[in-house]
Amino acid sequence: MAHPSLEELVQKFEAARKAGEPIRGNPEQFRMHRELAEACPAFTYNLRYLARLQQVADQPGRNAEEVLSEIKRLLESAVLGSYRSAPALLELGNFLDTFHDGPPEAMKLYEEGEQQALETLEDAWFFKIRYWNNEETKESVEKALRLGKLAERLFPDPGTFLWDEMQTTKRHAIKMGLLPPEDS
């Protein structure tokens, strides 16, 4: 059996979500999401969605232990399949915190998720500052300066890419008269 294409996975996911429109968490919606999880356990967004759905929808005929065990397994798979992405780490942490009386493992997951999210934010700010630097207009350099100042407060030791781009912003700003020359 050939692995479904990414487009097919997204279509199946959307169909499963749509199946929940009349009654969220109905048996058909659960069946479709579970089939998708079985067909592609690396499609972590579906795993996380199915886990969340089970936390809010009743499932007649299933006991709480069985449901909680499946949710935990889905979220652990999402963490593994996403290479420990921030959303997956935070969801697993929240699940453990909520349904397992806040074990220390939950805080470790929150901290790791926070670090992953900060790394993503640092990358996003690097790209935005670079974009504005490439425009080389007074307005764009002013935007880059403002974001650079915020980045300096949030990231006292920014990564090389962000730091280099912030230096480029300062050079543009000096050239445009937005900042005084460094030797003055």
Side-chain angles (χ1 to χ4, degrees), residues 28-147:
E28 178 65 6
Q29 184 180 29
F30 275 118
R31 182 191 64 75
M32 293 173 76
H33 280 291
R34 283 190 179 107
E35 284 178 2
L36 182 54
E38 189 174 310
C40 186
F43 188 25
T44 59
Y45 194 82
N46 180 62
L47 301 178
R48 291 176 33 231
Y49 187 89
L50 179 55
R52 266 184 264 125
L53 185 61
Q54 291 192 70
Q55 292 177 50
V56 298
D58 290 329
Q59 296 181 69
R62 294 188 76 200
N63 67 44
E65 273 185 45
E66 181 183 5
V67 171
L68 292 176
S69 177
E70 183 181 5
I71 292 169
K72 185 177 181 193
R73 181 185 56 75
L74 289 166
L75 292 175
E76 287 171 342
S77 294
V79 166
L80 181 63
S82 70
Y83 202 64
R84 303 187 75 78
S85 72
L89 289 163
L90 296 173
E91 284 192 55
L92 178 57
N94 181 57
F95 171 77
L96 294 174
D97 193 11
T98 303
F99 294 100
H100 293 281
D101 299 323
E105 182 184 2
M107 182 53 76
K108 289 177 186 171
L109 291 164
Y110 291 152
E111 289 171 348
E112 185 181 351
E114 176 183 53
Q115 187 58 44
Q116 294 283 7
L118 283 171
E119 288 173 14
T120 300
L121 181 62
E122 184 175 345
D123 288 345
W125 287 4
F126 158 72
F127 291 124
K128 286 179 74 174
I129 291 171
R130 186 183 69 185
Y131 178 88
W132 287 324
N133 283 338
N134 288 338
E135 285 188 336
E136 284 194 67
T137 66
K138 181 179 184 258
E139 295 78 21
S140 67
V141 172
E142 286 172 338
K143 289 177 187 178
L145 278 172
R146 282 192 300 272
L147 188 54

Side-chain angles (χ1 to χ4, degrees), residues 163-181:
W163 189 87
D164 286 348
E165 204 59 43
M166 289 165 40
Q167 299 314 303
T168 299
T169 301
K170 289 176 183 176
R171 284 191 299 276
H172 287 322
I174 290 168
K175 187 169 68 176
M176 293 177 176
L178 298 171
L179 288 177

